[in-house]
Amino acid sequence: MTAASTPGQPDVIVVGGGIGGLGTAFALARQGVRVRVLERADAFGEVGAGLQIAPNCTRILHEYGLLDEARSLGVVPENMVMRDAVDSRELTRLDLRDLEHRYGFPYMVIHRSDLHGIFLRACERAGVELLTSSTVVGYEHLDEGARITLADGTTQEAPLVVAADGLHSVARRMLVGDEVVSSDYVAYRAAVPMEQVRDNGIHEKDVTVHVGPRCHFVQYALRGGDMFNQVAVFESPKALAGQEGWGTPDELDAAFEGTCETVRKGIPLMWRDRWWQMMDREPIETWVHGRIALLGDAAHPPLQYMAQGAIMAIEDGWVLAGHYARLAQSAPEGTRPDWDAVLAAYEAVRVEHCRRVLTTARSWGRLWHLDGEDRLRRNAIMLARDTYDYAFTDWIFGPTAQSPDEEAEMFAPVPLASVTRRDAGSFTTERGDGVGAAALSTP
């Protein structure tokens, strides 16, 4: 057991005030933990546009008492539809109303800043200490905790430090020392008033992803249907050639020249003053170093194809707080649970789950961007899938596991080689289960 921290000092310091950091801070504060969040920016906020939050996340929001607020700010779409970006043919779909019935909670889309704001307000109500302009540059192990050093030379200590400082995490660099991995793909985003796109052949009530050779395009409504979110992703020839500053607007335009009319009409609306080079890291097995724990993108930054990046960070915090609460029940009065035991339980379940998501996201990216005959084979498998087949979503959309024995079984991949060629332009599959359901989750 661990003695309570000094009055006025936090039990936990969370480094990073993004969705993962605030979600973790709130989850712990609900259990009576004194939490301090350090954000390097001058104010708490998020940059970006839309997020998709699947039932494994809305289930947690419901437990937190935040789902109604999320519903009021987001959109609950009717379907998720995958189309071929070249000819616009529908390949497969998920009925999201039926999906909600299956998993008990909705599939939602929401503006990233709105979800961040929900957690920020929840942290304020819960008494979390929120500090801005606090750049952490160093970490140090202590006998019963950890110490962080800030850019101004000051230090802070706590029994536990959670590093939720993103893809380019200082803690990850110091404790693991690995490098980010470039996918050579880049994402452009835009959220525009619905009136600007109504004549573009869009589907306002669906999440639509057009998958094409070395590119894809995502569309869905935001903020009660008043806004429309678009994401354009493509492989950068400049990145493949090893050039700096890759992913420029001229590459954006060239990448989508051969796509269908709906996609081509959307490309001019993309924000052109910013873009996101798509990177991840290799999965690692050790997230806990003494009393310093990696969380969110600092531990498992994924490519965006599964739409699980923010969700995994929220799940991390929920699992960490859940094990704290479980062990608190047996802790003697006046003491805190053993943080080492809490961290061991957290790491035991989250590492494998997030490894699966990272590696599956890479596979979906390859699947979406196929060209030539492999594209046609993929389409044949997608077309064979039944709308109400959930073989490829049960492992990810079900309840978040708190222990390894609760982790759902992975799906069985369907190889492209299972598709046979009938004639010059036709492919067929004997299978009816397809590969498409989980692949429909989009950035």
Side-chain angles (χ1 to χ4, degrees):
M1 301 300 171
T2 303
S5 58
T6 304
Q9 294 299 309
D11 302 306
V12 177
I13 294 173
V14 176
V15 180
I19 289 171
L22 293 181
T24 299
F26 176 65
L28 291 169
R30 292 177 71 239
Q31 304 301 333
V33 179
R34 291 173 293 187
V35 186
R36 175 182 297 160
V37 177
L38 303 179
E39 167 57 37
R40 66 181 303 167
D42 295 335
F44 285 93
E46 276 282 357
V47 177
L51 273 179
Q52 298 182 53
I53 47 177
N56 55 316
C57 182
T58 52
R59 178 182 290 105
I60 293 173
L61 294 181
H62 173 74
E63 180 180 318
Y64 289 169
L66 304 176
L67 183 56
D68 287 345
E69 185 178 4
R71 278 184 182 271
S72 72
L73 296 173
V75 171
V76 179
E78 294 181 357
N79 301 284
M80 183 179 291
V81 182
M82 177 171 282
R83 295 180 177 274
D84 189 293
V86 176
D87 58 21
S88 195
R89 181 184 189 184
E90 180 177 323
L91 302 178
T92 192
R93 68 170 51 211
L94 285 172
D95 179 335
L96 295 180
R97 303 301 171 87
D98 187 74
L99 183 140
E100 179 176 352
H101 177 74
R102 181 176 183 84
Y103 298 113
F105 296 91
Y107 195 107
M108 294 179 57
V109 291
I110 190 169
H111 200 287
R112 179 179 289 270
S113 64
D114 289 341
L115 183 60
H116 183 270
I118 288 170
F119 278 116
L120 181 61
R121 292 186 291 274
C123 283
E124 291 170 342
R125 293 191 299 268
V128 173
E129 186 180 5
L130 301 164
L131 302 179
T132 57
S133 303
S134 302
T135 301
V136 175
V137 297
Y139 294 79
E140 181 182 350
H141 298 293
L142 303 176
D143 290 340
E144 293 294 330
R147 177 185 296 128
I148 53 133
T149 301
L150 282 75
D152 63 5
T154 60
T155 62
Q156 298 181 22
E157 299 177 6
L160 172 62
V161 171
V162 174
D165 49 347
L167 172 67
H168 300 289
S169 165
V170 173
R172 174 84 174 235
R173 184 173 67 245
M174 294 182 64
L175 299 172
V176 181
D178 61 339
E179 299 293 333
V180 297
V181 178
S182 173
S183 70
D184 297 327
Y185 276 75
V186 62
Y188 279 70
R189 296 182 169 89
V192 300
M194 185 64 74
E195 291 72 21
Q196 285 189 238
V197 297
R198 280 212 165 98
D199 296 331
N200 289 2
I202 65 166
H203 298 267
E204 295 185 33
K205 296 183 178 181
D206 295 339
V207 175
T208 304
V209 54
H210 291 82
V211 293
R214 295 172 298 281
C215 68
H216 73 266
F217 194 64
V218 185
Q219 297 177 309
Y220 52 84
L222 286 175
R223 290 183 171 162
D226 292 336
M227 298 185 71
F228 198 64
N229 186 68
Q230 299 190 137
V231 186
V233 176
F234 62 91
E235 186 178 51
S236 164
K238 293 179 182 177
L240 293 172
Q243 298 179 25
E244 298 293 329
W246 51 274
T248 47
D250 59 307
E251 291 193 303
L252 167 69
D253 293 332
F256 290 92
E257 281 181 351
T259 57
C260 64
E261 184 178 18
T262 297
V263 175
R264 292 199 313 274
K265 283 184 175 180
I267 295 301
L269 301 176
M270 308 310 295
W271 296 329
R272 290 173 177 253
D273 60 342
R274 73 199 90 165
W275 53 88
W276 288 260
Q277 296 174 346
M278 295 182 65
M279 300 181 180
D280 64 359
R281 290 182 187 265
E282 298 296 340
I284 54 173
E285 295 185 0
T286 302
W287 297 2
V288 175
H289 302 259
R291 292 288 183 82
I292 303 168
L294 301 177
L295 182 142
D297 279 358
H300 46 76
L303 297 177
Q304 292 91 330
Y305 304 106
M306 292 289 292
Q308 287 282 316
I311 294 174
M312 286 193 292
I314 292 168
E315 288 181 312
D316 288 348
W318 181 82
V319 169
L320 184 67
H323 285 298
Y324 177 90
R326 175 179 60 83
L327 292 170
Q329 294 178 354
S330 57
E333 185 176 353
T335 68
R336 297 290 190 187
D338 183 347
W339 279 116
D340 296 323
V342 172
L343 293 173
Y346 160 73
E347 187 178 60
V349 64
R350 294 303 295 162
V351 167
E352 174 58 17
H353 176 83
C354 295
R355 183 197 66 79
R356 292 178 176 185
V357 176
L358 263 65
T359 56
T360 303
R362 289 177 172 182
S363 296
W364 290 143
R366 291 190 293 270
L367 180 74
W368 290 11
H369 300 142
L370 293 173
D371 198 358
E373 289 195 355
D374 280 345
R375 164 180 163 254
L376 300 178
R377 290 188 175 92
R378 175 205 63 202
N379 289 0
I381 296 174
M382 295 286 190
L383 288 163
R385 175 189 166 269
D386 184 272
T387 296
Y388 301 100
D389 173 16
Y390 295 106
F392 293 89
T393 58
D394 283 344
W395 75 279
I396 191 73
F397 291 166
T400 303
Q402 277 277 10
S403 60
D405 62 299
E406 294 178 353
E407 190 70 40
E409 286 188 27
M410 279 289 281
F411 62 91
V414 178
L416 290 175
S418 66
V419 181
T420 58
R421 183 169 185 156
R422 274 192 197 159
D423 52 51
S426 177
F427 289 81
T428 185
T429 175
E430 298 302 320
R431 301 178 62 98
D433 49 3
V435 299
L440 286 170
S441 297
T442 55

